[in-house]
Amino acid sequence: MIKKIISELLKEIIRDLWGIKEIVFEVEKPKKENYGDYSTNLALVLKKEVNFAPLKIAKKIVKKLEEKTFLFSKVDIVSPGFINFWISKDYYIENLKKILKLKEKYGSVDIGQGKKVIIEFVSANPTGPLHIGHARGAAYGDSLARILSFTGYKVVKEYYINDKGTQMDILGASVYLRIKELKGEKIVFPENYYKGNYIYDIAREVLGTYPYLLSMDENKAIEFCKDLAIKIILEDIKNSLENFRVFYDNWYSEKSLYENKKVEKVLNILREKNLIYEKEGALWFKSTLFGDEKDRVVVRSTGEATYFAGDMVYHYEKFIERKFDLAINIWGADHHGYINRLKAALNSFGIDSERLKIILIQMVNLIEDGERKSMSTRQGEFVELKELINEVGVDASRFIFLSRSPDTPLDFDIELAKKRSQENPVYYVQYAHARICSIFEKAKNLKINYLFLDEIDFEKLKEKEELELLKKLEEFQETIEFASNFLAPYKITYYLLELAKQFHEYYSKYRILSDDLSLTCARLNLCLGCKIVLKKGLELLGVFAPEKM
RNA sequence: GCGCCCGUAGCUCAAUUGGAUAGAGCAUUGGACUACGAAUCCAAAGGUUGCAGGUUCGAGUCCUGCCGGGCGCGCCA
């Protein structure tokens, strides 16, 4: 990539000139086009090192640079000491040829170098259907997985199932009560039980499987209700996610950690390290020793392990037993208070807690009739993922979720999202793709053969907009690299909107299919480059690139 | 009270992780289809980046203190 090439060139020059080997400087794309395609602050940074005026330093560097390469069509020095580079068109044309050759592999940089990474996301309790907040996490996690595997990581997508603990017991009891109700018994439904209508559906299903449930021992019956309810709900969650185009490699059960005695084993390790103590009848982990603000209970006075204990073990497994190099957890922002605790646990195992990256996703606010309603104030009337898929559609919702950085709250206006119009940016990008496909359809009918790369005269691409498009296509590689390094799928979303915009502008100003056959062929290949990149970018977001709309 | 996140155009968000004159979309106003798809394009207008200091060649970005909003602070998950 060109940034690296320039960077290496510059390093070589300052080594020759002043013998400087280590220095931090930037090569970047300036916002304004009259500052060139790329720009460096090298001379400014060097000021302290060589004790010259930056402009003088820049002059020396540029002189050397001109002796070395023909890559640039122009190099400029601007006060206070920036050096600006204009890249020759040949480079961008070579890059277009690269795209046409690599096709869907274009943009793939090997950043991960085969490192094993586990992405854990959604992981909602199986106590009810997924809602719109989970959908944001699902879109984000899935897209991240696509981006990381595209950039050389070995990715495993996992859903951690909290199938154990108080909430599950309440779920079982809720179903049991509803069954009693269905059988005509008078019941009092406690405040903290699950009130959703789906509990009735589950109750009916349980009753179908165990018709004589109510004559069983109550505890045993509730246990049956619980197990079956979890199974039914998980099935439903899995289904919704698949409809949202999210497929997991693994569903990891919290309960299994206990059944396989893994919790015991890990607690023993901690005991041996003298990191566990007893107080008020409970077992505590000394997490303050590893940067947490207070010690945490791992086994309650009732003898039951806490959720945290299970999570410690789960992460022990991730790193020590399953040997992942990196773990990425995607959590709702309301879990931020939990981060220090878990990182403390990792540290206590001797695992560098930097290997665990926790992405906090901010809340999704619903906009209804122009008013903002947070999910929690809506009380039970969550917009379900299923509803979202049916009414808004997978493409539009994923695109909206992925058009923001995870750390800003997202306002989701369902009515707006439903509109298939200019207000909905996903169609803007998809339309660019469909338009290109439509041109190819027409070219095919006209029997234009534009696929013989060696015979294409790319010098025919003389318009300013054409050069701009070529540059934009080159930028895709940097965008991918950035998105991968900073776990930022929204960068790709923005890139696609920009590319689509440039294409639409170009399309409406110039004709692709004209009487000039060699020009037509050159332009068709430029379009093909756009199509490849649009499709790939959308694919990394989990959005389809339709040929017709 | 303590901790985390956020505050940028009327609205929703960007700004290449410290770069140059802060950019898009929507909404508003005015224009463009008898040649490749008008789900498009062109143009106008819109700003003291919440406030006040500090760090430096250079701050929307980093530091400190306020103001405003969200979320946490369980032997819940």
Side-chain angles (χ1 to χ4, degrees):
Chain A
M1 250 174 3
I2 191 110
K3 236 183 205 182
K4 263 180 210 146
I5 299 172
I6 298 175
S7 202
E8 290 307 315
L9 264 173
L10 290 171
K11 276 182 196 162
E12 208 179 301
I13 287 171
I14 58 175
R15 207 179 307 135
D16 292 353
L17 283 175
W18 298 285
I20 295 170
K21 283 181 186 138
E22 291 279 323
I23 189 155
V24 181
F25 65 97
E26 302 289 332
V27 175
E28 57 201 0
K29 219 177 259 285
K31 289 175 202 160
K32 300 282 291 182
E33 51 186 284
N34 46 344
Y35 292 131
D37 297 326
Y38 288 88
S39 167
T40 182
N41 62 352
L42 179 59
L44 292 163
V45 176
L46 274 175
K47 190 184 98 170
K48 279 179 197 154
E49 297 283 330
V50 297
N51 208 14
F52 265 177
L55 287 173
K56 273 191 183 169
I57 299 171
K59 251 180 211 168
K60 285 203 163 191
I61 294 172
V62 170
K63 202 178 158 204
K64 269 276 189 205
L65 208 53
E66 277 163 355
E67 293 166 10
K68 275 184 190 264
T69 177
F70 302 100
L71 181 64
F72 308 111
S73 59
K74 183 178 155 194
V75 180
D76 230 11
I77 300 166
V78 180
S79 173
F82 290 102
I83 305 173
N84 300 331
F85 309 95
W86 278 259
I87 310 298
S88 71
K89 196 166 123 193
D90 295 346
Y91 173 80
Y92 292 113
I93 285 172
E94 282 310 308
N95 189 65
L96 175 59
K97 289 184 191 163
K98 184 172 145 191
I99 298 171
L100 300 171
K101 222 172 101 193
L102 291 176
K103 299 198 176 69
E104 75 281 352
K105 291 204 179 77
Y106 171 69
S108 165
V109 223
D110 188 12
I111 300 171
Q113 302 184 321
K115 276 196 202 116
K116 281 179 72 182
V117 52
I118 178 166
I119 306 183
E120 183 213 320
F121 59 109
V122 184
S123 296
N125 286 353
T127 55
L130 297 180
H131 58 69
I132 195 170
H134 299 123
R136 185 178 188 187
Y140 182 84
D142 184 61
S143 173
L144 204 55
R146 290 166 192 255
I147 293 165
L148 293 184
S149 42
F150 190 52
T151 50
Y153 289 90
K154 285 184 75 177
V155 179
V156 169
K157 290 176 276 182
E158 190 155 288
Y159 190 114
Y160 183 55
I161 310 165
N162 306 142
D163 49 2
K164 194 185 167 299
T166 326
Q167 299 306 317
M168 291 309 113
D169 296 338
I170 294 176
L171 174 69
S174 305
V175 172
Y176 185 71
L177 267 185
R178 288 306 188 203
I179 289 175
K180 277 188 161 184
E181 193 186 359
L182 287 174
K183 281 290 186 181
E185 283 189 40
K186 276 221 154 169
I187 56 154
V188 182
F189 207 77
E191 191 51 36
N192 62 336
Y193 277 32
Y194 292 97
K195 298 194 251 317
N197 282 331
Y198 62 94
I199 297 291
Y200 284 108
D201 299 337
I202 294 167
R204 276 183 214 106
E205 210 171 326
V206 173
L207 211 46
T209 316
Y210 305 107
Y212 305 109
L213 191 95
L214 290 183
S215 54
M216 287 183 201
D217 167 62
E218 184 165 295
N219 287 333
K220 208 173 164 187
I222 291 178
E223 199 65 22
F224 275 132
C225 288
K226 181 171 94 175
D227 289 346
L228 202 49
I230 292 175
K231 213 180 133 207
I232 293 167
I233 293 175
L234 265 179
E235 201 50 44
D236 177 66
I237 286 176
K238 195 172 177 176
N239 240 309
S240 307
L241 285 169
E242 287 182 356
N243 288 333
F244 201 53
R245 293 178 210 141
V246 177
F247 300 89
Y248 284 91
D249 300 304
N250 252 325
W251 296 72
Y252 200 100
S253 153
E254 179 186 4
K255 211 164 142 192
S256 74
L257 292 171
Y258 293 86
E259 289 165 354
N260 302 332
K261 309 274 182 224
K262 286 178 176 159
V263 177
E264 259 180 68
K265 189 184 126 196
V266 173
L267 286 182
N268 279 332
I269 293 173
L270 291 174
R271 255 190 215 104
E272 275 165 32
K273 292 189 179 179
N274 199 23
L275 294 172
I276 300 269
Y277 63 93
E278 203 181 323
K279 194 178 91 183
E280 293 157 4
L283 288 185
W284 297 70
F285 165 58
K286 293 184 184 172
S287 53
T288 39
L289 290 180
F290 305 95
D292 197 3
E293 50 268 33
K294 56 192 264 196
D295 289 346
R296 306 292 175 177
V297 171
V298 285
V299 180
R300 289 187 276 244
S301 48
T302 58
E304 246 184 307
T306 57
Y307 174 81
F308 175 53
D311 216 12
M312 280 175 95
V313 178
Y314 177 43
H315 284 86
Y316 178 88
E317 289 282 309
K318 279 187 186 172
F319 288 105
I320 308 275
E321 302 293 338
R322 302 168 72 192
K323 300 196 178 354
F324 283 102
D325 297 297
L326 217 63
I328 298 174
N329 292 6
I330 295 159
W331 291 350
D334 51 343
H335 287 66
H336 72 254
Y338 194 78
I339 297 176
N340 281 340
R341 208 175 304 183
L342 193 55
K343 293 220 166 190
L346 291 186
N347 286 330
S348 78
F349 296 136
I351 299 163
D352 178 4
S353 63
E354 288 295 304
R355 284 164 65 192
L356 172 66
K357 292 195 199 285
I358 296 173
I359 308 285
L360 294 176
I361 301 221
Q362 294 292 327
M363 299 241 307
V364 176
N365 297 311
L366 284 175
I367 306 292
E368 277 176 333
D369 308 320
E371 257 182 79
R372 181 173 299 158
K373 300 189 177 168
S374 86
M375 292 294 291
S376 49
T377 58
R378 240 172 151 254
Q379 288 237 352
E381 297 174 53
F382 296 106
V383 172
E384 287 185 24
L385 173 55
K386 273 174 257 167
E387 203 181 330
L388 191 71
I389 292 170
N390 287 335
E391 295 191 15
V392 177
V394 179
D395 286 339
S397 14
R398 288 185 75 128
F399 199 88
I400 291 168
F401 287 133
L402 295 174
S403 58
R404 267 151 202 64
S405 136
D407 47 27
T408 33
L410 180 120
D411 290 324
F412 201 103
D413 187 330
I414 299 237
E415 292 310 312
L416 199 87
K418 273 195 244 176
K419 287 191 194 164
R420 309 191 146 256
S421 72
Q422 47 184 332
E423 292 162 77
N424 207 332
V426 65
Y427 302 116
Y428 187 79
V429 178
Q430 289 184 324
Y431 184 48
H433 184 266
R435 259 186 162 171
I436 295 171
C437 291
S438 156
I439 298 169
F440 288 141
E441 192 62 32
K442 182 128 189 174
K444 198 175 141 197
N445 292 337
L446 294 172
K447 299 196 175 9
I448 299 170
N449 202 334
Y450 54 90
L451 289 174
F452 296 105
L453 263 193
D454 297 338
E455 294 168 22
I456 306 296
D457 181 12
F458 286 101
E459 290 304 317
K460 287 276 188 172
L461 300 175
K462 288 199 190 85
E463 305 299 340
K464 180 169 169 281
E465 287 81 356
E466 287 165 338
L467 181 59
E468 292 303 316
L469 265 177
L470 287 169
K471 285 181 184 175
K472 199 71 193 172
L473 292 175
E474 201 272 341
E475 206 182 304
F476 184 62
Q477 304 170 97
E478 285 166 32
T479 305
I480 297 296
E481 196 175 344
F482 191 101
S484 175
N485 283 334
F486 293 94
L487 312 179
Y490 72 93
K491 283 284 173 184
I492 295 175
T493 313
Y494 273 92
Y495 171 84
L496 289 174
L497 283 167
E498 284 162 12
L499 175 59
K501 185 181 166 65
Q502 280 191 27
F503 177 77
H504 285 309
E505 283 170 16
Y506 174 59
Y507 175 91
S508 50
K509 194 163 174 187
Y510 301 98
R511 274 196 65 80
I512 310 299
L513 305 172
S514 64
D515 298 339
D516 182 341
L517 186 63
S518 70
L519 177 64
T520 298
C521 286
R523 286 183 169 172
L524 279 170
N525 276 285
L526 177 59
C527 289
L528 189 53
C530 293
K531 179 181 173 229
I532 290 167
V533 170
L534 283 169
K535 189 171 179 190
K536 187 74 217 181
L538 286 171
E539 185 191 311
L540 291 173
L541 303 178
V543 174
F544 288 155
E547 307 206 340
K548 285 199 172 81
M549 292 172 66

